[in-house]
Amino acid sequence: MQIIYTDVLVVGGGLAGQRVAIGARRRGLDTIVLSLVPAKRSHSSAAQGGMQASLGNCLGGAGDNEDIHFADTVRGSDWGADQAVVRMFAHTAPKAIRELTAWGVPFNRVASGERTISVDGESKVISEPDESHGLITARNFGGTAKWRACYVSDGTGHAMLYTMSNRAIAEKIPVHERMEAVALICDGPRCCGAIVRNLMSGELLAYVAKATCIATGGYGRIYRVSTNAVINEGIGAAIALQTGVATLGNMEAVQFHPTGIFPAGILVTEGCRGDGGLLLDGAGHRFMPDYEPEQRELASRDVVSRRMEEHIAAGHGAQSRFGEHLWLDIRLLGEAHIASKLREVKEICQYFLGVDPAQELIPVRPAQHYSMGGIRTDHNGHSQTLTGLFAAGEAACWDMHGFNRLGGNSVAETVVAGMIVGESIADFCASDAGALTVSTTLVQESLRREEGRLQAIANSTGDESVYELTGLMQDTMTRNVGIFREGEKLQEAVADLRSLQQRAAAIRLRSTARGASPELVATYRLRHMLRLAQCTAYGALQRTESRGAHFRADFPRRDDSQWLKRTLARWPDPDADTPELSYEALDIARMEIPPGWRGYGERDYIAHADSARRQQQIDALLADVPETDRAARQQALMPFRHLLPAHLRADNQRVGDGQ
Amino acid sequence: MKPTPMQTIPLKQSRTLRIEILRHNPADPDSHPHLQVFEIEEAETMTLFIALTEIRQTQDASLQFDFVCRAGICGSCGMLINGRPGLACRTLTRELPDTIRLAPLPGFELIGDLSVNTGKWMRGMSERLETWVHRENIEAIDIDAVEQRMAPELAEQLYELERCIECGCCIAACGTAQMHEDFVGAAGLNQIARFRLDPRDTRSDADYYELVGDESGVFGCMTLLGCEDYCPKNLPLAVQLAFLRRKMARQGL
Ligand SMILES: Cc1cc2nc3c(=O)[nH]c(=O)nc-3n(C[C@H](O)[C@H](O)[C@H](O)COP(=O)(O)OP(=O)(O)OC[C@H]3O[C@@H](n4cnc5c(N)ncnc54)[C@H](O)[C@@H]3O)c2cc1C
Ligand code: FES
């Protein structure tokens, strides 16, 4: 039996995991990163459109600051987010992008002087300010008041991840590639590392660590149509759930992106619409302004996706032999813009559709895209129930996205979370709580349990096929737990998933190949994914309101009086067929922005009695603080800087400061 | 303006594809490399990702291959497709003949069947060529201050070279790399070109010469330019290599 000892084990080599590792390593801790694939192939590399940070350099971003970024994010979340965490995030995002820039990311820059852009279907000449020439520029994205998505053409995630990975290599952080964490090692409520399977040889080994951080990304592959990479199966979140001690937050909050290409579901970035692209229906009519006069194509993703499906359901889709879809029109942006700022989009259209987007329309339809839910942690990324377990990035729910994430906020979150959680892990390891004494017997038992599980799968004589059951899970999720949800369909999904869980016990492997054994991998992962799917479906069934991306046709209004709370799922009994749900209230009395209308989408919601009270209190608190002193106004309402590591607390400087 | 109907090239007629795969599982002492033939019905807009997934799910569950993004972005799925290196996920079967032969990329450690360890090779290359921005006090940069300016055109040029996805197609297509194991290949030399262009990196040509000024570096290239022909991202490798060679030759004088 091989046991590897380290201070910090980071499970996941995407942007979040590697930034956590760099932070911990810089504090002098031995740190190992695990990844299913070479780190640079992690799904972060697929992020296209941009990273939100309120630099305010370009004309469209003029006057931007942390306050506006904060407000956009809270509204985007439909008031589901933890506002203190959103504050920490909005404050640290400019630092994150400046760090990445110093490390080498070639973010696109402002070119001073006139240029032609496309706004609302018309071309318009704007003039970029001289004083910003050569600073980082930004593009427009949905649900934001300013142009704030900083970008590297439409390969933003690729450039960020390569720089991050190269930095990690420079700092000599070992990345154990093609290694999969398949279970956590727990000593009661203390996480002590993970059992890991080598995906090349099939061998199992144990990693023992003072702190374990899960940064394994999203769980989009529980759905049939998804923009996510095929490795986004949520195993990190699932092994946390399996402990019975850690909790998952808001698993029913799943984002659908408006523009997956049809039918493959591959993403074309929101930057297409941010840069001026339009959505058209089967008749060539631009329909979004009919539904959303305020933000049109650039309302938040949950709203645009719903409007699109609504429009298709009303009979306005374009017909094709694969079914109905709508069109994305970026022809008006022109050849030159597409060839330089939307290169990946161009390639994707060319290779997968045989379409030149400068000349032709792109067939699109909403597809599963992002997992707002994940491992529930505090603002330091530390699980509140399983000591020594941390989480960061898309796998986590420290809760900055609530029920809908804004485009560009995710890659920003991964790096910001990495900067914060890396520090909190180091603090934890240095504290008394961080000391770890773990018996070899416990590690051996954990290892043997996993060996037993895998052996049982290999020996099973049932007659089910893993691939068939996986398909059935994905079908029921896409059909019943999609953009429009309702009680009956959700009941059906819960029942389907229950029966699939039973059937999964009878999967028999067709192949007896030694080594990697992809079929064995698919089988143990399916069991985990079925639990995540059940948390999603069951949570959605219980939540009898609509909030952000969670829309119930039978309960179409947001209900702050009953549902201003976060869903927590635990799975303490391994034989149970549904999770144990509990709820964590969001406290309006501590919010900087009490719940209200988002500025787009449905105007109609059931208010909480405390909202008006808090607003009065806010008005009173601000009465004596001058309008111009925004830091003091913020501080009066919801102090947050003390929550950040000391070196991240200072003000962000901007080019227009003092004017 | 009325949109045109969804454009797809019509299928000639429904075909049965004959897919021949070079198989070998090094984890199994009884395994030896051999071609195995699979037949599948072609579907509309079928890619090799879809075809291989279907084969694994319905015909042979032990088949090994690597896909991650399935969108031509992450560089996982390089393989030889009828003898030519390419990204399988974005290769449509309708562009291929009825018989398709697939083999793992040469020049990399074989994990099994079509799966090769490009990741290990690329990490080794990064370590050896130090593919990161070198500057003093990188741990103490002021991240509160406004970032340093950069000419907009330069940022775009850097991205042009940064687009490499480390898929390994250039290595598989390179005569030198196939003969000399320690040749850094176009993927490596392109990295040097990228950091050389970056004003944030304080290294000089003398430093780069130390890294690539020999036969395992820029002077190993025989200018056959298979790399540029098969680069899925159309990186300007030929121009970069020639330029770098001139600079390094001057440095070596
Ligand atoms: C197509 C697409 C485009 C996007 N574009 C944007 C954008 O423009 N802007 C934006 O802000 N966001 C965007 N997003 C979202 C954003 O890219 C992701 O949310 C973010 O990159 C996630 O980063 P991460 O580090 O949390 O996880 P990932 O990058 O997904 O990394 C997960 C890591 O965990 C590893 N792993 C997983 N399970 C295990 C296990 N069991 N054991 C060991 N290792 C494991 C994987 O190998 C991988 O290294 C996009 C998402 C998609 C799908
Ligand atoms: S799977 Fe990512 S490039 Fe092919």
Side-chain angles (χ1 to χ4, degrees):
Chain A
M1 178 181 70
Q2 197 188 351
I3 306 183
I4 295 173
Y5 293 89
T6 179
D7 295 323
V8 182
L9 177 67
V10 179
V11 185
L15 281 168
Q18 294 205 71
R19 185 60 187 84
V20 167
I22 291 170
R25 183 79 201 93
R26 286 185 169 186
R27 293 272 303 266
L29 297 167
D30 279 340
T31 304
I32 296 175
V33 176
L34 305 179
S35 176
L36 300 175
V37 296
K40 285 175 180 166
R41 312 214 190 286
S42 300
H43 198 51
S44 292
S45 71
Q48 300 173 356
M51 159 172 182
Q52 287 215 43
S54 60
L55 301 180
N57 291 326
C58 65
L59 184 74
D64 199 9
N65 60 38
E66 299 83 357
D67 299 347
I68 308 176
H69 191 182
F70 168 77
D72 285 346
T73 305
V74 169
R75 293 203 173 92
S77 81
D78 221 354
W79 277 273
D82 179 328
Q83 296 196 6
V85 172
V86 180
R87 265 293 171 191
M88 292 166 72
F89 161 74
H91 178 79
T92 311
K95 301 182 200 305
I97 200 168
R98 285 169 173 164
E99 180 178 86
L100 283 169
T101 304
W103 290 359
V105 178
F107 282 106
N108 279 54
R109 303 294 173 134
V110 178
S112 65
E114 291 196 340
R115 66 191 180 104
T116 308
I117 59 166
S118 184
V119 186
D120 212 10
E122 320 246 311
S123 45
K124 189 173 148 190
V125 177
I126 59 165
S127 183
E128 293 287 356
D130 287 343
E131 69 268 21
S132 288
H133 186 79
L135 297 177
I136 296 170
T137 191
R139 58 164 44 120
N140 201 3
F141 251 43
T144 63
K146 298 281 178 186
W147 294 27
R148 190 187 298 125
C150 306
Y151 59 93
V152 185
S153 182
D154 59 350
T156 313
H158 167 89
M160 290 171 69
L161 184 63
Y162 270 55
T163 296
M164 186 71 82
S165 303
N166 286 334
R167 194 67 236 144
I169 295 174
E171 306 205 2
K172 303 204 162 41
I173 296 169
V175 180
H176 295 185
E177 295 174 354
R178 296 180 188 263
M179 292 290 220
E180 173 173 5
V182 291
L184 292 175
I185 305 171
C186 287
D187 190 356
R190 174 72 162 100
C191 176
C192 320
I195 302 297
V196 174
R197 185 170 179 273
N198 180 327
L199 291 171
M200 294 177 286
S201 67
E203 124 201 66
L204 280 185
L205 47 167
Y207 285 69
V208 172
K210 290 181 186 160
T212 304
C213 181
I214 297 205
T216 49
Y219 47 90
R221 286 284 157 179
I222 61 174
Y223 285 85
R224 164 135 287 178
V225 186
S226 170
T227 64
N228 283 195
V230 297
I231 60 167
N232 285 17
E233 300 180 308
I235 304 307
I239 61 177
L241 183 68
Q242 182 178 255
T243 63
V245 182
T247 56
L248 304 185
N250 284 345
M251 293 296 283
E252 65 271 32
V254 176
Q255 179 169 83
F256 296 83
H257 194 293
T259 58
I261 64 168
F262 188 79
I266 295 171
L267 183 87
V268 291
T269 172
E270 183 157 308
C272 291
R273 281 171 292 133
D275 291 1
L278 306 175
L279 291 169
L280 307 181
D281 65 14
H285 169 66
R286 182 184 172 203
F287 59 93
M288 276 310 293
D290 306 343
Y291 295 100
E292 293 293 327
E294 288 87 4
Q295 297 247 9
R296 303 173 294 273
E297 279 83 358
L298 288 173
S300 64
R301 288 177 179 170
D302 56 331
V303 171
V304 178
S305 290
R306 262 192 311 270
R307 296 308 196 187
M308 290 170 74
E309 288 297 333
E310 203 179 324
H311 202 61
I312 291 176
H316 301 299
Q319 307 293 330
S320 86
R321 51 181 160 256
F322 301 106
E324 286 172 294
H325 62 86
L326 295 162
W327 301 104
L328 173 65
D329 184 1
I330 60 169
R331 296 172 302 182
L332 64 172
L333 308 186
E335 189 96 51
H337 182 91
I338 293 171
S340 68
K341 301 292 190 299
L342 296 169
R343 304 174 67 143
E344 295 298 333
V345 168
K346 189 177 161 161
E347 274 189 19
I348 287 168
C349 291
Q350 191 183 325
Y351 282 97
F352 294 94
L353 296 167
V355 157
D356 172 3
Q359 310 296 334
E360 292 156 280
L361 300 176
I362 309 168
V364 291
R365 188 159 183 176
Q368 190 286 338
H369 181 61
Y370 186 81
S371 315
M372 272 80 72
I375 300 171
R376 177 72 188 130
T377 72
D378 64 13
H379 65 272
N380 284 318
H382 199 174
S383 162
Q384 293 110 324
T385 46
L386 187 54
T387 308
L389 180 74
F390 292 77
E394 191 171 340
C397 177
W398 61 339
D399 214 354
M400 68 158 273
H401 302 301
F403 275 75
N404 175 64
R405 162 178 84 89
L406 292 184
N409 260 356
S410 177
V411 288
E413 173 193 23
T414 59
V415 184
V416 166
M419 293 166 83
I420 295 172
V421 178
E423 297 298 324
S424 69
I425 287 178
D427 293 343
F428 169 78
C429 288
S431 73
D432 292 347
L436 183 68
T437 40
V438 53
S439 72
T440 325
T441 327
L442 177 81
V443 179
Q444 272 164 344
E445 272 168 20
S446 305
L447 201 80
R448 244 176 264 127
R449 187 178 324 124
E450 286 318 302
E451 258 163 15
R453 279 187 184 138
L454 297 182
Q455 204 52 53
I457 294 175
N459 295 343
S460 163
T461 52
D463 54 3
E464 299 285 1
S465 141
V466 61
Y467 298 116
E468 188 195 338
L469 299 191
T470 306
L472 291 172
M473 168 189 69
Q474 292 170 331
D475 279 342
T476 196
M477 291 303 288
T478 291
R479 201 174 56 241
N480 298 320
V481 200
I483 297 181
F484 288 102
R485 301 170 173 180
E486 58 182 289
E488 230 165 84
K489 285 165 119 191
L490 292 168
Q491 295 276 13
E492 188 181 318
V494 169
D496 285 353
L497 292 167
R498 272 197 182 117
S499 107
L500 286 170
Q501 252 166 285
Q502 278 166 6
R503 291 175 64 185
I507 292 172
R508 184 170 56 82
L509 301 188
R510 269 48 177 178
S511 134
T512 53
R514 269 177 271 189
S517 185
E519 193 187 20
L520 175 69
V521 174
T523 305
Y524 66 70
R525 287 191 189 162
L526 175 63
R527 295 179 173 190
H528 281 310
M529 290 166 78
L530 282 167
R531 292 219 181 112
L532 296 182
Q534 191 60 284
C535 289
T536 309
Y538 195 63
L541 174 64
Q542 304 303 325
R543 186 174 280 274
T544 48
E545 65 150 358
S546 292
R547 184 179 297 275
H550 169 72
F551 188 84
R552 288 282 301 253
D554 43 356
F555 298 93
R557 293 198 292 173
R558 191 181 86 207
D559 184 356
D560 294 335
S561 72
Q562 302 290 327
W563 284 104
L564 196 63
K565 50 192 182 188
R566 189 171 293 125
T567 309
L568 297 181
R570 241 166 36 100
W571 207 300
D573 172 8
D575 298 325
D577 56 10
T578 41
E580 227 179 67
L581 297 188
S582 61
Y583 294 92
E584 187 184 353
L586 277 74
D587 186 2
I588 296 181
R590 288 163 53 191
M591 288 184 184
E592 193 174 327
I593 310 181
W597 183 51
R598 303 166 88 186
Y600 45 79
E602 303 298 334
R603 280 169 197 273
D604 190 20
Y605 60 91
I606 302 168
H608 191 291
D610 290 350
S611 290
R613 215 170 302 143
R614 175 63 179 160
Q615 192 55 54
Q616 279 168 3
Q617 199 182 24
I618 290 175
D619 295 342
L621 284 168
L622 293 183
D624 299 328
V625 192
E627 290 268 354
T628 46
D629 192 348
R630 61 181 191 89
R633 292 173 76 84
Q634 197 287 317
Q635 175 75 16
L637 301 183
M638 193 184 70
F640 73 94
R641 289 197 200 207
H642 64 286
L643 302 173
L644 287 165
H647 67 281
L648 298 177
R649 290 181 194 163
D651 285 346
N652 296 305
Q653 294 157 28
R654 291 188 178 76
V655 69
D657 284 351
Q659 281 173 9
Chain B
M1 201 177 334
K2 217 164 149 68
T4 49
M6 182 166 170
Q7 192 210 335
T8 41
I9 301 164
L11 281 179
K12 283 160 248 154
Q13 72 247 137
S14 146
R15 294 192 295 176
T16 300
L17 298 173
R18 181 185 154 88
I19 303 193
E20 307 174 347
I21 301 179
L22 184 58
R23 303 206 55 185
H24 178 44
N25 179 5
D28 180 353
D30 299 330
S31 168
H32 54 91
H34 63 287
L35 269 189
Q36 187 175 348
V37 179
F38 298 95
E39 290 196 341
I40 58 166
E41 289 307 305
E42 185 171 37
E44 270 179 87
T45 71
M46 184 179 248
T47 59
L48 286 178
F49 160 66
I50 296 172
L52 285 168
T53 305
E54 187 179 316
I55 292 175
R56 175 143 97 194
Q57 295 190 351
T58 60
Q59 301 189 38
D60 190 332
S62 69
L63 185 62
Q64 294 186 54
F65 47 73
D66 290 321
F67 291 99
V68 178
C69 73
R70 60 82 173 86
I73 289 173
C74 74
S76 297
C77 64
M79 58 182 74
L80 291 183
I81 305 164
N82 286 335
R84 295 153 184 266
L87 298 179
C89 72
R90 70 172 199 192
T91 302
L92 292 166
T93 53
R94 72 180 177 219
E95 281 156 13
L96 299 171
D98 299 352
T99 298
I100 302 169
R101 182 171 290 191
L102 303 177
L105 280 188
F108 299 97
E109 180 184 300
L110 180 71
I111 294 172
D113 302 333
L114 301 170
S115 169
V116 292
N117 207 337
T118 47
K120 183 173 166 193
W121 195 99
M122 294 295 167
R123 172 139 182 150
M125 179 272 285
S126 279
E127 286 169 354
R128 178 168 149 207
L129 302 184
E130 306 188 357
T131 60
W132 53 86
V133 162
H134 287 53
R135 61 190 272 181
E136 297 278 302
N137 285 328
I138 198 155
E139 307 200 359
I141 38 178
D142 182 355
I143 55 177
D144 304 325
V146 174
E147 65 276 8
Q148 275 183 9
R149 290 172 200 265
M150 177 183 277
E153 305 75 30
L154 178 60
E156 291 192 12
Q157 281 166 9
L158 285 172
Y159 179 58
E160 185 68 34
L161 303 182
E162 176 117 352
R163 292 180 74 236
C164 170
I165 55 173
E166 300 192 345
C167 60
C169 288
C170 62
I171 306 302
C174 170
T176 308
Q178 294 307 312
M179 287 185 301
H180 301 293
E181 223 178 66
D182 57 355
F183 180 53
V184 298
L189 294 170
N190 176 65
Q191 289 298 326
I192 296 292
R194 184 244 175 269
F195 286 99
R196 212 183 149 273
L197 187 66
D198 195 328
R200 295 169 292 198
D201 195 319
T202 52
R203 282 179 289 183
S204 67
D205 273 352
D207 298 322
Y208 293 123
Y209 188 82
E210 284 294 306
L211 295 170
V212 295
D214 62 9
E215 296 288 307
S216 70
V218 74
F219 303 118
C221 167
M222 300 184 292
T223 57
L224 300 173
L225 300 182
C227 53
E228 174 148 321
D229 293 345
Y230 293 108
C231 174
K233 293 282 145 181
N234 296 316
L235 291 175
L237 297 171
V239 175
Q240 292 302 325
L241 258 63
F243 183 70
L244 195 61
R245 194 205 317 268
R246 276 206 305 283
K247 291 292 172 195
M248 291 297 111
R250 191 172 307 157
Q251 183 61 38
L253 289 177

